[in-house]
Structures are given as structure tokens and as C-alpha cells.
Amino acid sequence: MTGVWVCGAVLVLASVFGLVRARRDGRLRVRAKDDAVRLSPAELGGELGGRATLVQFSTAFCQPCRATRRVLAEVADMVDGVSHVEIDAEAELELVRRLDILRTPTVLVLDASGRVIRRAAGQPRRADVIAALGEAV
């Protein structure tokens, strides 16, 4: 009978964890650590946008990275002065460690000076990216 209780408790805990993670996945939010972080064009491997930059950290085997790439490219094309830069997380391990990137895709929204305004782990929704750009611009 104890095994049934343990199994039930594990199922409940796993369900709660899954629901919390699904709710937080892809949400663009501010972290206290990110306030002082600035990225230069040399670190990005591309120019900063005139008004804002969308930075995506991805890997070759990441399926959600492809959909994220499309969303960010579409938003960058829609909004003047916004550029999209994709960084291979495997090739830039020093930058990944410095920025505390734990999973892919991770999206950073930078203002015109390269300061991190928002951050999302997971695939963000288009509306959330546009709203985050409103703060950066």
C-alpha cells in the first residue's frame, strides 16, 4: 500500500512541476542580474539594431529554435530599427556562461546601447516580443 501512495505523490508532484514550467516557458521577464549586462557588437557577431536588438541563443539540435528564429525574424522585419542576431550557444560557451544561459532557445531583448531589457527561456510568443520591444524602443 505504501508503494501506491509514493507513486501517487510522485505523479502529483510531476504534474505540478509540468504545469508551472509550461506557464513560465517563453515569458519575457526582467531579472535583477540582467540590468547591468551590456553586449557589444563584437560579442554578438553582428551590429546592434538602431532601436533594439533581438538576440537568440540556439543549438543545432533544438527544434523550438527554428520556430523562434522565424518569429524573431518576422518581428524584426515588422519594426524599423530592430535587428535579429542568432548565436550558436555551443560555439560561444564563454558568453553563454557569462549570461547564465541554461537552455535553448533563450531570447534577449537589447536596447539601442546593448543593455539587456528582457529575457525569455523557451519559445516566446510574437505578441510578447512586440510588447518587450515597446519598452526597449
Side-chain angles (χ1 to χ4, degrees):
M1 191 66 176
T2 303
V4 172
W5 286 105
V6 170
C7 185
V10 168
L11 287 174
V12 168
L13 289 173
S15 297
V16 169
F17 174 77
L19 291 172
V20 168
R21 178 149 181 189
R23 181 161 186 212
R24 296 183 75 194
D25 195 34
R27 294 189 61 204
L28 287 156
R29 56 186 169 270
V30 178
R31 289 186 350 171
K33 291 185 211 177
D34 291 337
D35 284 343
V37 175
R38 288 191 189 277
L39 297 176
S40 68
E43 291 173 310
L44 296 176
E47 290 298 315
L48 290 170
R51 297 171 68 191
T53 306
L54 302 171
V55 180
Q56 175 186 349
F57 286 87
S58 58
T59 54
F61 59 84
C62 172
Q63 182 64 31
C65 293
R66 295 179 192 138
T68 300
R69 180 182 311 119
R70 280 192 301 275
V71 168
L72 296 180
E74 289 172 5
V75 170
D77 288 341
M78 286 176 15
V79 182
D80 291 332
V82 175
S83 65
H84 171 230
V85 177
E86 187 171 1
I87 297 174
D88 182 10
E90 295 171 320
E92 298 293 334
L93 289 177
E94 184 177 318
L95 184 60
V96 166
R97 287 185 188 112
R98 191 184 92 172
L99 295 173
D100 196 28
I101 305 293
L102 300 177
R103 59 184 274 212
T104 58
T106 293
V107 176
L108 304 176
V109 179
L110 310 179
D111 64 8
S113 67
R115 186 171 59 98
V116 176
I117 300 295
R118 294 266 191 233
R119 166 188 196 116
Q123 182 179 348
R125 296 179 323 156
R126 180 175 312 178
D128 293 339
V129 174
I130 293 170
L133 283 176
E135 182 182 334
V137 176

